[in-house]
Amino acid sequence: MFEKNFRLVGKGFEEKDIEGFFKEKREEGAIPIERELEKTAEEKRFIQKIDDYLGQEFQELGIKGRFKIKQENFHFLSAEDFYQIFPDTEFDAFCLTPGNAVFINKDVYPEKETLFKAMLHESIHLSAFKKFYIQNQKEGVNIYIVKPYRSGYKNINPSELFHIHFTGLNEAIVDKIVLDIFKKHKEDILKEFDIEVDRLTKENKDIFYNLPLEILEIVLEKIAKNNKEKPEQVWQRFKKGFFTGEMMHLRDVEKTFGKGALRVLAFLGDPTKVLSEQEESKIKEYFLTDDKEKRDKIAKQVLSEREKLRYQKNK
């Protein structure tokens, strides 16, 4: 059995029938692609260190078993080749599952500091809890469609294109884990790679999902206050849930901010409505204010029609 970091949901299949598909995808994801750039010795050391750091995170969180980050998971490309192979992508670094392959436009990350951060960010996505939805195309015949269903907190409706929840929250959690790792290992990172973590976080803030991170911090602090605990305790539940799939603690969002609040948090980063900076700031204001009427007004302003109706139903 190959190394597994996911669960399968759906009807009309047995796991043994799907195992070959995932094994094949993993093997394909590990094969160097045409015109792929060779990794430097330092980049190979990046990957080993990232795996070490994530291993420590899992140990501290009390999670047994994890997906190990390997050299073959990473594929570096020039900008020209990257956009030729992925002409429709809006990202300069991303990972594809179930092949667990990371593709990075290396021209966008000419400095090792930003490259290291991008590699760590994508490695955390690789390590996330995942679910795949299995659909049997024909009864009695083993022909299946495999669709992504969950990755960390990001939830994808397998039957409706672009119906996705928690994208913004998911990215904020990934970057907060990055910051945790930077903080814990900054002396080692400086010694091994001559990377000053404090300078990286201060001078290169554009490499983080800044506003979603700010919103996440507000949510953690207010939940902690409502529960009479420390923000770090709340954060540990959020972080662990990213790797285990446990999401029951999200009930604390509505216990703290009122019914419908979780839908507003889930809407951050929704692909059906690209939010302006002003609209994203309004979501921040939604979680800052204690005025229920003001929250309802903001929800009506920023949510899509579909989510607005569901917000009202929740209320």
Side-chain angles (χ1 to χ4, degrees):
M1 178 61 178
F2 59 93
E3 190 178 24
K4 181 178 170 183
N5 65 329
F6 58 84
R7 293 180 196 164
L8 306 177
V9 295
K11 294 180 180 179
F13 76 95
E14 290 187 25
E15 198 159 318
K16 63 181 177 62
D17 298 329
I18 310 296
E19 194 173 299
F21 169 83
F22 283 93
K23 186 177 180 182
E24 184 179 324
K25 287 295 180 184
R26 290 279 175 89
E27 289 171 354
E28 287 176 4
I31 298 170
I33 60 177
E34 189 178 355
R35 295 195 299 277
E36 178 175 320
L37 301 173
E38 188 175 346
K39 299 178 188 73
T40 66
E42 185 173 55
E43 288 158 2
K44 290 177 180 179
R45 282 179 24 241
F46 279 173
I47 296 167
Q48 181 57 58
K49 278 292 181 182
I50 286 169
D51 185 63
D52 292 343
Y53 296 155
L54 284 170
Q56 185 174 321
E57 289 295 317
F58 272 66
Q59 189 174 15
E60 290 175 0
L61 290 166
I63 304 172
K64 293 181 180 179
R66 68 182 182 91
F67 176 77
K68 289 185 70 65
I69 306 302
K70 304 180 182 72
Q71 304 290 335
E72 56 264 31
N73 292 129
F74 288 85
H75 305 277
F76 297 132
L77 294 159
S78 68
E80 182 181 357
D81 291 333
F82 185 87
Y83 293 120
Q84 187 174 346
I85 297 169
F86 307 108
D88 300 321
T89 187
E90 57 183 302
F91 304 106
D92 296 308
F94 63 91
C95 63
L96 290 178
T97 56
N100 286 345
V102 174
F103 298 94
I104 294 180
N105 175 357
K106 202 174 174 187
D107 288 342
V108 174
Y109 305 102
E111 296 179 350
K112 63 181 176 182
E113 289 88 350
T114 52
L115 178 63
F116 179 76
K117 192 271 172 182
M119 291 169 68
L120 177 55
H121 182 101
E122 296 308 324
S123 296
I124 293 167
H125 276 302
L126 281 185
S127 303
F129 167 84
K130 295 179 183 67
K131 273 186 183 178
F132 294 95
Y133 181 82
I134 311 301
Q135 183 179 343
N136 194 334
Q137 279 198 296
K138 190 175 180 181
E139 191 175 346
V141 181
N142 295 340
I143 301 175
Y144 304 99
I145 295 176
V146 179
K147 297 181 180 180
Y149 184 55
R150 278 270 306 278
S151 179
Y153 285 84
K154 186 177 178 180
N155 197 304
I156 306 156
N157 188 324
S159 60
E160 192 174 341
L161 192 63
F162 301 125
H163 190 169
I164 303 172
H165 291 144
F166 294 112
T167 301
L169 175 66
N170 199 57
E171 293 296 346
I173 286 171
V174 170
D175 267 345
K176 189 165 170 60
I177 297 171
V178 168
L179 290 169
D180 275 3
I181 290 172
F182 278 176
K183 184 178 178 181
K184 289 176 190 175
H185 303 285
K186 67 177 183 179
E187 290 180 5
D188 188 48
I189 294 170
L190 179 62
K191 179 183 175 183
E192 289 288 327
F193 308 114
D194 195 28
I195 293 174
E196 294 183 29
V197 166
D198 291 339
R199 184 180 67 81
L200 177 64
T201 55
K202 287 175 185 175
E203 296 181 13
N204 295 289
K205 280 199 168 184
D206 58 320
I207 64 173
F208 295 97
Y209 287 79
N210 291 323
L211 197 50
L213 259 174
E214 290 175 23
I215 293 167
L216 173 60
E217 294 290 1
I218 292 164
V219 169
L220 296 175
E221 286 175 17
K222 287 206 168 187
I223 289 174
K225 186 178 179 181
N226 191 58
N227 290 353
K228 295 183 172 60
E229 57 185 339
K230 294 179 180 179
E232 183 61 24
Q233 291 174 286
V234 183
W235 165 234
Q236 291 302 308
R237 292 197 293 273
F238 272 72
K239 188 201 290 193
K240 189 171 183 177
F242 177 86
F243 295 118
T244 65
E246 173 56 55
M247 297 180 73
M248 292 295 286
H249 64 90
L250 288 179
R251 292 178 176 181
D252 285 342
V253 174
E254 299 215 332
K255 287 178 184 176
T256 303
F257 298 95
K259 290 186 177 180
L262 193 57
R263 193 160 292 278
V264 175
L265 187 61
F267 190 70
L268 189 65
D270 192 295
T272 62
K273 183 182 178 182
V274 179
L275 298 175
S276 65
E277 192 173 326
Q278 185 179 11
E279 286 173 319
E280 281 196 342
S281 295
K282 282 187 176 293
I283 292 181
K284 178 181 175 181
E285 192 178 349
Y286 177 98
F287 290 102
L288 275 172
T289 186
D290 294 322
D291 187 326
K292 294 180 182 179
E293 289 186 8
K294 190 173 183 180
R295 282 184 189 146
D296 287 343
K297 184 179 179 181
I298 291 171
K300 289 175 185 176
Q301 290 173 337
V302 300
L303 294 177
S304 65
E305 289 303 315
R306 179 186 66 200
E307 296 305 312
K308 203 181 298 181
L309 289 170
R310 290 174 181 178
Y311 178 87
Q312 292 298 332
K313 188 177 179 181
N314 281 11
K315 297 290 285 183

